[in-house]
Amino acid sequence: MRDPFLPILLLGAGAGLASCSTVRTIVGIGCGTLALYLLALISVPGRPPTDTLFVLAWIGVGVSAALAWLPPPSWMWIRIAVASLTGLLAGGLSGTSPAASAPAFFGMLACAASVGVALSRRGWPLPPRIVASWLVAIAILNAALVVLPVTPGYLPDHLE
Amino acid sequence: MRGLRSGLAAGLALAPAAASAHTGTGLAGGFVSGVEHPLSGSDHLLAMVAVGLWGAFLGRPLIYLLPIVFPMMMVVGAAAGMYDMPVPPPEIGIALSVLVLGACIAFAYRAPVPLAVLIVAGFALFHGYAHGRELPSAADPVGYSMGFVLATGLLHVAGILIGSLTCHKKGATAVRLGGGAIAAAGVSFLIQAAAR
């Protein structure tokens, strides 16, 4: 049983936290993720195997969340480029299951970005960064889980 | 009357009590189970709150470093648990974590930054190992792992909020007394773990 919903949700959170910076960064990441999400939906034949896609998604969650630790005005293009890739991964994952949805990804992105920006502007830049570090931890663990072959949660049970 | 009792007993014996084993397609050990795991075990709960309390006591930068280090090292421990790597008995390590962290708060020990990080990171491995040993049996490991990492982080935040009482003199005394109580619980856990 492998549900892409949570990875998609966390990709949105990672991209949102990465965009806790200037307005240009937020707009850039919003446009970049949307464009790459649509691109991933269109380019169905080029999709990698599901396992690879999940590992890449968890790496994407970890890397985009780690971007939240960069000082706000700097590294704008790196932030936009890397966080936009989460759109590509989310789009790719959404093709593996009809249950996964674009609203979850973009909703979480908008939510994480707005909360992060609001906190940063009020002089509290650390809470979003701490949450980002938890996302990195979750991503590391789940990347390890994908490689682990004996997890019963990934095997279809007798009802499926 | 006797016949009624016999019938009732037979009916109960034939009732499909085991039907609740499957309530869907096997998502029993998911996000909620992951959240519940640190909250249901008092040893995990006390250690994680103690990390936040100690961080609040030590101030910057440890107030935010410790809630980052603990979940990070916990997932390393969880990975070690999933792969069944040999480690010292995790129950002893978890009990020691409660004892040591409680004692650090009770004695207001102002550890240097590297030492505090080392202590917390070392103990986090044991907590993570315990989670990791349970993780493979979870039906939804992604949800489970997400649940226990988030619950751990929120317990640290709870500890920091309680620890913010140290701004006041009476609050600091109360926090230190709380640390003493946590250390006492740690002694009890240690005795239980050693007796196994």
Side-chain angles (χ1 to χ4, degrees):
Chain A
M1 176 92 199
R2 187 172 290 193
D3 191 355
F5 184 73
L6 280 178
I8 286 176
L9 212 60
L10 295 187
L11 279 168
L17 290 171
S19 67
C20 295
S21 184
T22 57
V23 176
R24 280 173 71 190
T25 315
I26 297 167
V27 172
I29 288 176
C31 294
T33 48
L34 184 62
L36 291 179
Y37 187 93
L38 293 173
L39 182 73
L41 286 183
I42 295 163
S43 60
V44 178
R47 185 171 294 135
T50 309
D51 274 359
T52 313
L53 203 54
F54 270 85
V55 173
L56 288 174
W58 290 119
I59 292 170
V61 171
V63 172
S64 59
L67 291 175
W69 280 89
L70 294 175
S74 61
W75 301 85
M76 188 181 80
W77 292 109
I78 298 284
R79 275 174 197 266
I80 292 174
V82 175
S84 297
L85 282 176
T86 60
L88 189 71
L89 294 166
L93 280 177
S94 69
T96 64
S97 165
S101 56
F105 174 71
F106 289 104
M108 184 52 107
L109 194 155
C111 193
S114 48
V115 170
V117 168
L119 286 172
S120 299
R121 287 193 177 166
R122 281 163 201 229
W124 287 10
L126 281 173
R129 290 178 181 179
I130 291 171
V131 172
S133 77
W134 298 347
L135 279 188
V136 175
I138 292 169
I140 292 170
L141 188 57
N142 282 296
L145 271 172
V146 175
V147 181
L148 193 74
V150 291
T151 311
Y154 281 165
L155 302 175
D157 63 20
H158 65 271
L159 291 180
E160 292 174 292
Chain B
M1 192 68 185
R2 203 172 194 180
L4 184 69
R5 276 186 196 164
S6 305
L8 204 65
L12 284 172
L14 291 172
S20 59
H22 257 297
T23 54
T25 51
L27 281 171
F31 181 77
V32 176
S33 300
V35 171
E36 279 174 355
H37 190 232
L39 298 175
S40 57
S42 50
D43 47 357
H44 290 306
L45 190 141
L46 287 176
M48 288 160 189
V49 171
V51 168
L53 271 175
W54 197 33
F57 212 87
L58 295 170
R60 280 178 174 246
L62 288 164
I63 192 167
Y64 61 84
L65 267 184
L66 296 186
I68 292 169
V69 168
F70 193 96
M72 282 283 188
M73 291 310 291
M74 196 177 69
V75 301
V76 175
M82 285 189 294
Y83 285 97
D84 203 12
M85 288 179 184
V87 294
E91 295 84 12
I92 302 271
I94 291 168
L96 270 176
S97 72
V98 180
L99 171 59
V100 171
L101 291 168
C104 287
I105 298 162
F107 293 109
Y109 175 51
R110 297 205 169 272
V113 174
L115 181 63
V117 167
L118 203 67
I119 289 170
V120 166
F123 287 138
L125 285 173
F126 289 106
H127 286 269
Y129 191 89
H131 292 310
R133 292 303 301 150
E134 290 191 7
L135 193 61
S137 61
D140 175 18
V142 175
Y144 183 92
S145 57
M146 191 176 146
F148 85 70
V149 172
L150 286 182
T152 300
L154 292 175
L155 283 172
H156 295 331
V157 172
I160 290 170
L161 290 176
I162 298 166
S164 61
L165 291 172
T166 50
C167 303
H168 310 285
K169 202 173 179 182
K170 282 181 182 171
T173 311
V175 168
R176 289 182 66 179
L177 283 172
I182 291 171
V187 172
S188 154
F189 295 143
L190 196 59
I191 292 166
Q192 283 173 29
R196 275 179 205 161

